[in-house]
Amino acid sequence: MILKAQPKASHFIDGEYVEDEAGSVIESIYPATGEVIARLHAATPAIVEKAIAAAKRAQPEWSAMSPTARGRILKRAADIMRQRNRELSELETLDTGKPIQETIVADPTSGADCFEFFGGIAAAGLNGAYIPLGGDFAYTKRVPLGVCVGIGAWNYPQQIACWKGAPALAAGNAMVFKPSENTPLGALAIAEILHQAGLPKGLYNVIQGNRETGPLLVNHPDVAKVSLTGSVPTGRKVAAAAAGSLKHVTMELGGKSPLIIFDDADIDSAIGGAMLGNFYSTGQVCSNGTRVFVQRKIKAEFLKRLKARTEAIAIGDPMDEGTQLGPMVSWAQRDKVLSYIEKGKAEGATLVTGGGIPNNVSGEGYYVQPTVFADVTDEMTIAREEIFGPVMCVLDFDDEAEVIARGNATEFGLSAGVFTADLTRAHRVVDQLEAGTLWINTYNLCPVEIPFGGSKQSGFGRENSLAALEHYSELKTVYVGMGPVVAPY
Ligand code: NAD
């Protein structure tokens, strides 16, 4: 049988596709139809060894190249991604079920931005410092870490492969990337493009695998750093395993972020922000503002307009350019989201709209209606746990101090947002919110120029911006003695 999106082989190692059928089967399923579109194999220990050995062998020569030369290759990869945007976006839609309307503007393009940005700053972002010490002096160098491992989640497979790969390569490292077992396809395309752009073989390797494969990478003695995008429980396991050999780690984990809407806000803009921050990518975005705190005076109007706009969302075939909301990534995720919706109903939240399976789509697809709950209270399960689906919880509040305290009353600290016309208040509030990435009068915009990452249980380390280069390199300090050594003995 010919499968719609079957890659040449499961893994991409040392500049070429590699297969090892001894690995357990990973089926890639198109979430809109339930159809198997590719059949791959998880990496065996031999494949893991092969990928890490290739990376280890290739890295010294790469790090000895001038940063400008490294950057040129990354920028070329950005150009190829843009030229192939349509094809890559269709692949991303098949991999994730996200509508083509989104993938065509948000997925390969954000990966290309990332290669372009890190290609551009490779030459300027890795400089050290000169430290005068009287006659003596010292200088610092920013040096690569060596072999870095990237482990991805399934919501942005191509973007995550680029967000980890670009800064790692710009800083002179080699990477072994393992995509999520739910979305194995996009990263292989990124590896191919990097090599087409002239990346020497062995520097960006992709291996498939699941939760059994990840630890083989994290525990490997030749790996210097692990960057994970995933859930908090996985983050705890990976950080604990990495601690055993004191590896560098970046943790991009989950969230339950507050989005606070004051009664002086532009209400339509705030609704737009709340909808983007709950329904984009069918709600499968870590930084989503899933606890929408609305000041009581505007509650009725906010809910009325939100309901109308939510019910107008076009749900359907992700390959149709008119579709605005696709299915969940997997049957398991669909079930999880539906069970949270049932908990919301059972615990007394008011269902404003949605709350089930849409009736205009095939029963084989993993669809869930965009859902809004009002009268949600802080103790409800849907207000405390990350749902990772199109479920918006609207909570009421009266005053500023109260909403800040309630916004912060969570173990997570990924993101937060504030909508208000009072700019002084906006800055005062974001100053007190405990989160890594915050927005005022907009939500969820993450261009590559700004650092992205979490605090508290949402993780540590930052992706994007100059900050990411620091997380893929370390300082070497050199003290230079300019006179004779004076020894007391
Ligand atoms: P997950 O934690 O189940 O899996 C993430 C990755 O870790 C997968 O590739 C998986 O195979 C791997 N893995 C699982 N167990 C492992 C182990 N013990 N050792 C090494 N690797 C292991 O997450 P998911 O369901 O793929 O993604 C959804 C989660 O990711 C959500 O919590 C979401 O908030 C989070 N996320 C965070 C960000 C961010 O940037 N902060 C972005 C996207 C998603």
Side-chain angles (χ1 to χ4, degrees):
M1 188 175 61
I2 297 169
L3 299 168
K4 201 185 262 177
Q6 184 67 35
K8 289 188 192 116
S10 299
H11 319 290
F12 192 96
I13 300 174
D14 215 6
E16 60 188 25
Y17 277 98
V18 176
E19 192 56 271
D20 180 352
E21 291 184 357
S24 58
V25 171
I26 293 177
E27 284 190 331
S28 168
I29 295 173
Y30 181 39
T33 59
E35 177 192 358
V36 175
I37 54 169
R39 204 164 270 122
L40 302 96
H41 294 272
T44 55
I47 286 288
V48 171
E49 283 304 325
K50 192 175 166 77
I52 292 176
K56 190 179 172 187
R57 200 191 52 249
Q59 190 266 333
E61 204 174 316
W62 175 245
S63 83
M65 271 168 72
S66 80
T68 304
R70 289 202 298 265
R72 197 177 301 129
I73 293 171
L74 300 185
K75 286 193 276 184
R76 219 180 281 140
D79 291 343
I80 299 172
M81 284 189 79
R82 290 212 176 86
Q83 282 154 15
R84 291 175 57 181
N85 185 36
R86 176 93 217 173
E87 169 209 337
L88 290 168
S89 301
E90 284 176 5
L91 181 67
E92 188 80 342
T93 290
L94 287 171
D95 221 1
T96 60
K98 296 196 288 183
I100 191 84
Q101 191 187 89
E102 278 187 25
T103 54
I104 207 130
V105 295
D107 292 276
T109 49
S110 66
D113 284 354
C114 192
F115 281 131
E116 186 173 358
F117 177 83
F118 285 104
I121 64 161
L126 292 161
N127 294 343
Y130 169 83
I131 304 164
L133 299 167
D136 293 353
F137 67 93
Y139 61 92
T140 59
K141 298 165 71 144
R142 220 157 237 295
V143 295
L145 301 172
V147 177
C148 300
V149 158
I151 300 179
W154 39 256
N155 56 345
Y156 282 85
Q158 291 182 28
Q159 185 186 80
I160 294 171
C162 297
W163 279 20
K164 299 194 189 304
L169 292 170
N173 302 283
M175 171 150 280
V176 178
F177 185 80
K178 189 200 85 61
S180 162
E181 53 274 43
N182 283 315
T183 51
L185 305 176
L188 290 170
I190 304 299
E192 244 186 66
I193 286 169
L194 277 166
H195 289 81
Q196 200 184 333
L199 186 74
K201 59 188 194 170
L203 290 164
Y204 189 87
N205 308 281
V206 173
I207 64 161
Q208 305 300 335
N210 44 36
R211 54 196 59 242
E212 274 85 57
T213 320
L216 299 178
L217 293 167
V218 179
N219 293 322
H220 199 288
D222 289 337
V223 170
K225 170 174 180 119
V226 180
S227 175
L228 169 78
T229 298
S231 62
V232 173
T234 303
R236 290 200 183 102
K237 283 185 212 149
V238 171
S245 48
L246 292 179
K247 291 180 169 63
H248 295 244
V249 277
T250 293
M251 289 285 151
E252 293 292 353
L253 309 177
K256 192 73 197 178
S257 301
L259 171 52
I260 300 170
I261 299 168
F262 286 97
D263 58 18
D264 62 351
D266 173 334
I267 196 162
D268 286 319
S269 195
I271 290 168
M275 290 177 76
L276 281 168
N278 279 273
F279 301 144
Y280 208 67
S281 294
T282 323
Q284 302 163 116
V285 182
C286 52
S287 51
N288 271 354
T290 47
R291 289 182 296 144
V292 180
F293 291 93
V294 177
Q295 206 161 14
R296 211 173 295 272
K297 201 169 114 197
I298 56 165
K299 175 184 173 185
E301 190 58 27
F302 181 91
L303 288 175
K304 188 175 113 200
R305 294 192 210 177
L306 170 64
K307 177 171 157 51
R309 284 173 67 174
T310 302
E311 287 172 358
I313 290 175
I315 308 170
D317 174 3
M319 286 295 178
D320 180 338
E321 301 219 346
T323 294
Q324 296 168 316
L325 194 99
M328 310 302 309
V329 76
S330 64
W331 190 257
Q333 189 63 19
R334 168 193 174 276
D335 276 359
K336 184 176 153 194
V337 173
L338 290 173
S339 79
Y340 274 115
I341 290 174
E342 290 314 308
K343 274 193 193 125
K345 293 176 190 165
E347 291 178 20
T350 306
L351 184 64
V352 175
T353 186
I357 298 163
N359 52 20
N360 66 324
V361 289
S362 138
E364 308 303 315
Y366 311 150
Y367 289 87
V368 174
Q369 282 179 315
T371 297
V372 177
F373 280 111
D375 306 313
V376 177
T377 57
D378 298 346
E379 319 69 56
M380 289 181 187
T381 311
I382 55 171
R384 287 186 291 105
E385 296 181 12
E386 185 183 44
I387 300 174
F388 225 56
V391 182
M392 188 193 304
C393 297
V394 178
L395 303 91
D396 312 331
F397 78 95
D398 292 303
D399 72 68
E400 185 181 311
E402 168 212 336
V403 79
I404 292 168
R406 289 170 61 200
N408 285 338
T410 167
E411 59 168 351
F412 299 109
L414 188 54
S415 308
V418 179
F419 277 85
T420 175
D422 178 345
L423 271 187
T424 312
R425 170 161 66 190
H427 292 290
R428 189 169 62 231
V429 171
V430 291
D431 205 41
Q432 295 172 77
L433 289 172
E434 297 162 356
T437 310
L438 301 101
W439 291 276
I440 294 174
N441 290 337
T442 187
Y443 203 80
N444 257 358
L445 298 178
C446 292
V448 66
E449 293 88 346
I450 66 171
F452 179 77
S455 61
K456 294 161 79 177
Q457 297 295 298
S458 293
F460 41 81
R462 291 293 178 266
E463 299 205 287
N464 291 340
S465 77
L466 275 172
L469 284 183
E470 290 176 18
H471 292 290
Y472 282 100
S473 59
E474 61 189 351
L475 279 182
K476 194 176 227 184
T477 306
V478 181
Y479 186 112
V480 183
M482 296 295 285
V485 172
V486 180
Y489 33 76

